[in-house]
Amino acid sequence: MASSSMPGGVLRRSDSVADMMPEELRQSRYQMKRCFQRYVSKGRRLMKNWQLVEELERSADDDKLEKAKLAEGFLGYVICSTQEAVVLPPFVAFAVRTNPGVWEYIKVHSGDLSVEQVTPADYLKCKETLFDDKWARDHNSLEVDFGALDLSTPHLTLPSSIGNGTQFVSRFMSSKLSGKSENMKLLLDYLLALNYRGEKLMISETLDTVDKLQTALLLAEVFLTSLPRNTPYQKFEPKFQEWGLEKGWGDSAETCRETLNCISEVLQAPDPVNMEKFFSRVPSVFNIVIFSIHGYFGQEKVLGLPDTGGQVVYILDQVRALEEELLQRIKQQGLNITPKILVLTRLIPEAKGTKCNVELEPVEHTKHSSILRVPFKTDDGKDLRQWVSRFDIYPYLERYAQDSSVKILDILEGKPDLVIGNYTDGNLVASLLSSKLGVTQGTIAHALEKTKYEDSDVKWREMDQKYHFSCQFTADMIAMNTSDFIIASTYQEIAGRPVSLKEKPGQYESHYAFTMPGLCRYATGINVFDPKFNIAAPGADQSVYFPFTVKEKRLTDLHPQIEELLYSKEDNDEHIGYLEDRSKPTIFSMARLDKVKNITGLVEWYGQNKKLRDLVNLVIVGGLLEPSQSKDREEIEEINKMHSLINKYQLKGQIRWIKAQTERVRNGELYRCIADTRGAFVQPALYEAFGLTVIEAMNCGLPTFATNQGGPAEIIVDEVSGFHINPLNGKEASDKIAGSFQKCKEDPIYWNKMSTAGLQRIYECYTWQIYATKVLNMGSMYGFWRTLNKEERQAKQRYLQMFYNLQFRQLVKTVAKLGEQPTQPAESTAAARIVPRPKERQGPFLRNLLKRGRGRN
């Protein structure tokens, strides 16, 4: 049964673990009773995957044959696919992930081995019992089911399709628009609404029926066949206007004919290919607002400052690519429109030598894009002068959204066509603005904190004083569910990797069903089969990050600075430690100094591995060098740890620690100088949503070792275009690095091979032009998609607004503003404070609004 049900070792999505498990338990009843007795023997507890597997193996004692039989059979597969289990003797409740995005919850009686399938909400109640039994049993505990408001929204079905939202949407729209002619009225209304500052685009009000539009298209197509292909639009504009056709079809007879033909085919027999082509040509996006609020957002001297890292580079490159694509499209559409892109961030008067105190700053290498900085306000209306940690930012965001809205409408002279948020704070503000102005919204998480800190949902009380996860996770849920589309850099970011013992769910997938006992139970948070999910991988700026072998472009004038940075033997304010043997290759890492980036983990691996230390030097670029220089709690801890490790392993002479470098151009040459040593780049993060530094390093020709937790594992094909390392096993990781350099020592061609393969991977998969095309197509397509199912969308929007007002606003009051104390001590974060018991706050309406039994994936 197991083999037939698990082709390739994975259950089909239609297979039910609950249906198949009783028979499997019966066939191995003796061993299973022993196993389940082991599970319940230690009382109530939450068991992780590795613990479940370990106990399963121990139940077979030393019988190798029995162990192999268990591991290879159906039950072994189920246990290996279980992310966690709640033990409440005599029951064990399992959260089984049979495929990416596909979950089943089952409860097994350890005595009679009876099996019951349970809902996500019931499983979460079991889990809550371990942390807040009273709240778990309270029928008035707050339960939210966002999925219940998406019942008529079509969803993808195959795990392999996750992240292909635009393709699915185009297929669905093709189906919906075909058949009855009245269905085409939806598309006609969309075209009739197209305008720029009141000036009609594509069609006039005279074409108010589908028949009239089709007639006009036919006349225009026939007319254009008689014109030379390069005839400018202005030559035949009056003729088009006679037929009710306005600007926006193209800049020449040829481009107009292509667009006319595309729309004609959509009206006659819509198919997914033509739908996608249609939305790529429709003039619907001209002005874009991008929110990136926390940290120091600027174009120079900001990288490495608190809460400021790769996202700044990502967004600036994103803006340049989007503007270039916008200008190309507008020209092709035959329009004389100037696009505008605004990056909204925070104005910080105490700017630490950066331009973060400048309100409006043009984005370099663009013509129509700017950084607009809006200050946080104190209660008395003054500008807040100091930096605020991303964890403490929530009390300022609502006022910030209001102030930003005024500035945006003034500068753009109207509403934007597309709003894109970044990170929790930017996404929440984008949601508020999108709801207020009625514009299309895109969301980019970059990194969701819930996946960085294990059990941070059920143990939120323990972490709330430091991280305010109660606010953050609530804001994430609001933004994800408000957004029209979500942009991820990789499949893993959404739904992790195929099931195996070592794999975890994706960032978004981990928000499917979760609970914060005493605060809120999310029966459905976000479903990764929702068609709003799309993958658009960023690229590298190849004017900055180019191969070390391109000698004519090398920035040799920077080499004296880099020589001093890497090799001078004196400690100073910019670097400590030195490299005694310059003949050795150098392994290099550059990141913020926080726990998740795991830079101190890399230093410890290096310190403990004698072979690696003999083969290579270590260069670290990250953070500040002294704890007294930082105000960031986590960075201070990591700085102290760095000093401790350098002393503990006596690394002076083998390590160079350089403080965070903000000059991007010099950093590009730094990568290349490391490549000159025939070294490598190491990215050791405990989790990395994407990994821009991985892209940068590979683009410069540096062989790269990167974490297998997150996006880098998708960027790199292991041992083909780079190497995966397990950040949770430092010995294994350091041995793999050492083994590779030993191979390079024995076979110098091997290093060249890996360098070239990494470059090839970049050129094939990661360019900003591809990214910009995808995002603008999303903006156009989801702009139409949001007009479908208006009633359901409006109902969900009201639900989200209520949730924001009744839940998020109350949570924000527990976060102290700078220089203030919280309204109540963080350690008293309990249900009575955050989710008060009175009926008006937790009555049946909010708890059960559209809560209904739903079939799970």
Side-chain angles (χ1 to χ4, degrees), residues 490-530:
T490 63
Y491 179 96
Q492 288 190 59
E493 186 180 342
I494 306 171
R497 297 169 76 183
V499 176
S500 82
L501 180 61
K502 297 180 180 179
E503 305 307 341
K504 293 183 178 180
Q507 279 199 90
Y508 286 100
E509 186 185 358
S510 71
H511 292 75
Y512 170 57
F514 68 100
T515 186
M516 302 175 75
L519 183 63
C520 184
R521 176 188 309 124
Y522 293 96
T524 308
I526 190 72
N527 188 338
V528 295
F529 288 95
D530 194 306

Side-chain angles (χ1 to χ4, degrees), residues 578-780:
Y578 62 93
L579 306 179
E580 186 70 48
D581 184 356
R582 290 185 54 172
S583 67
K584 293 196 293 187
T586 297
I587 60 172
F588 167 58
S589 193
M590 179 161 56
R592 294 192 312 276
L593 267 188
D594 62 34
K595 290 179 180 177
V596 173
K597 294 299 184 184
N598 199 32
I599 293 296
T600 52
L602 172 60
V603 173
E604 188 151 28
W605 304 347
Y606 181 77
Q608 292 174 344
N609 193 315
K610 184 180 184 303
K611 183 177 180 181
L612 184 61
R613 291 173 65 170
D614 289 342
L615 286 167
V616 298
N617 292 317
L618 175 62
V619 170
I620 297 294
V621 177
L624 297 166
L625 303 182
E626 296 297 333
S628 60
Q629 297 170 337
S630 176
K631 294 181 180 179
D632 185 273
R633 296 182 290 253
E634 207 165 276
E635 185 180 44
I636 290 169
E637 292 176 17
E638 292 298 290
I639 292 170
N640 285 327
K641 189 174 180 181
M642 281 285 285
H643 285 288
S644 173
L645 290 169
I646 291 170
N647 292 331
K648 178 180 178 180
Y649 295 108
Q650 298 180 339
L651 296 180
K652 291 266 176 96
Q654 293 180 301
I655 190 172
R656 176 70 130 201
W657 176 16
I658 304 167
K659 80 172 185 179
Q661 298 296 297
T662 60
E663 294 182 23
R664 192 179 178 205
V665 172
R666 190 171 77 170
N667 285 345
E669 191 61 25
L670 178 58
Y671 280 118
R672 290 184 285 273
C673 287
I674 299 295
D676 289 336
T677 75
R678 300 180 73 79
F681 184 75
V682 182
Q683 210 276 28
L686 299 176
Y687 181 85
E688 184 66 54
F690 181 62
L692 276 175
T693 53
V694 171
I695 294 287
E696 292 167 0
M698 292 171 71
N699 219 61
C700 292
L702 259 181
T704 299
F705 296 82
T707 178
N708 63 5
Q709 302 295 312
E714 208 163 309
I715 296 170
I716 290 172
V717 180
D718 190 29
E719 300 197 26
V720 175
S721 53
F723 305 90
H724 297 167
I725 53 174
N726 182 0
L728 305 178
N729 189 332
K731 184 179 186 309
E732 176 187 279
S734 62
D735 284 346
K736 188 169 186 176
I737 299 169
S740 176
F741 275 99
Q742 182 63 42
K743 190 170 182 178
C744 291
K745 192 173 182 180
E746 296 166 0
D747 178 12
I749 296 175
Y750 183 67
W751 189 92
N752 294 334
K753 176 186 172 184
M754 297 309 298
S755 172
T756 302
L759 282 165
Q760 187 63 32
R761 178 72 174 168
I762 292 298
Y763 297 152
E764 289 175 355
C765 303
Y766 300 96
T767 73
W768 279 110
Q769 193 275 326
I770 295 172
Y771 175 95
T773 299
K774 286 183 176 181
V775 171
L776 291 181
N777 287 352
M778 289 177 212
S780 183

Side-chain angles (χ1 to χ4, degrees), residues 39 49 71 82 189 222 425 642 660 822:
Y39 287 161
N49 176 274
T82 298
D189 291 342
V222 172
D425 46 344
M642 281 285 285

